[in-house]
Amino acid sequence: MTIELTENHVEVGITVSDIAASLSFYCETLGFVEVATMPVEWGGTLHMLRLGDAVIKLASNDEIPKEANPPGGAAGATGLRWITLWVKDLDGVVDACSRANRPIPGPINSNYPGVKFAMVEDPDGNWIEFVEALAE
């Protein structure tokens, strides 16, 4: 069986420990726009953010969970370890993230044909991969 999508995007949900810091990073640094806010049945608030077709849902729980993602990106643990956003100006994105004091685990990588990319940590240590297609 092959599923049939009714929307041409994936929505990513992230439970955060500090909603103000996360909204600042995703909205002010990256340019996402908050399009909806709603209560969640388990106690807390869901903030839906959109940039183009990308949707990130930040869950701010009434009680911050005791467990958190282990650090270290892809090598740190199994499970969901990063999301990828394709951008036009990777250098500018990395510079903006650096100015926002976000950790950048390594330098911009251009070792793969046709692309360059970099990883940035959000306020909870989740990795975001930014990829730029190189002109051929």
Side-chain angles (χ1 to χ4, degrees):
M1 174 185 171
T2 300
I3 63 171
E4 186 175 341
L5 298 176
T6 59
E7 295 286 334
N8 196 28
H9 66 267
V10 173
E11 298 183 9
V12 176
I14 304 171
T15 299
V16 302
S17 61
D18 181 343
I19 191 61
S22 292
L23 286 172
S24 175
F25 173 67
Y26 285 99
C27 295
E28 295 171 25
T29 303
L30 300 183
F32 279 80
V33 175
E34 188 168 7
V35 295
T37 303
M38 63 199 78
V40 289
E41 61 189 43
W42 61 82
T45 305
L46 186 70
H47 302 260
M48 293 191 67
L49 312 178
R50 179 180 288 276
L51 181 61
D53 289 335
V55 175
I56 293 178
K57 301 182 284 189
L58 301 178
S60 173
N61 294 344
D62 291 342
E63 292 186 34
I64 298 172
K66 292 181 175 97
E67 299 295 328
N69 280 338
T78 60
L80 181 62
R81 302 306 298 153
W82 74 91
I83 61 173
T84 301
L85 299 171
W86 287 75
V87 298
K88 288 186 179 180
D89 178 13
L90 178 65
D91 296 314
V93 170
V94 170
D95 184 54
C97 292
S98 178
R99 285 193 318 273
N101 295 316
R102 298 303 341 130
I104 301 165
I108 291 175
N109 186 323
S110 57
N111 293 335
Y112 296 89
V115 298
K116 63 181 182 176
F117 67 93
M119 298 291 197
V120 174
E121 290 185 14
D122 79 357
D124 283 292
N126 299 300
W127 282 20
I128 305 188
E129 175 186 38
F130 296 100
V131 181
E132 179 181 344
L134 300 174
E136 295 183 23

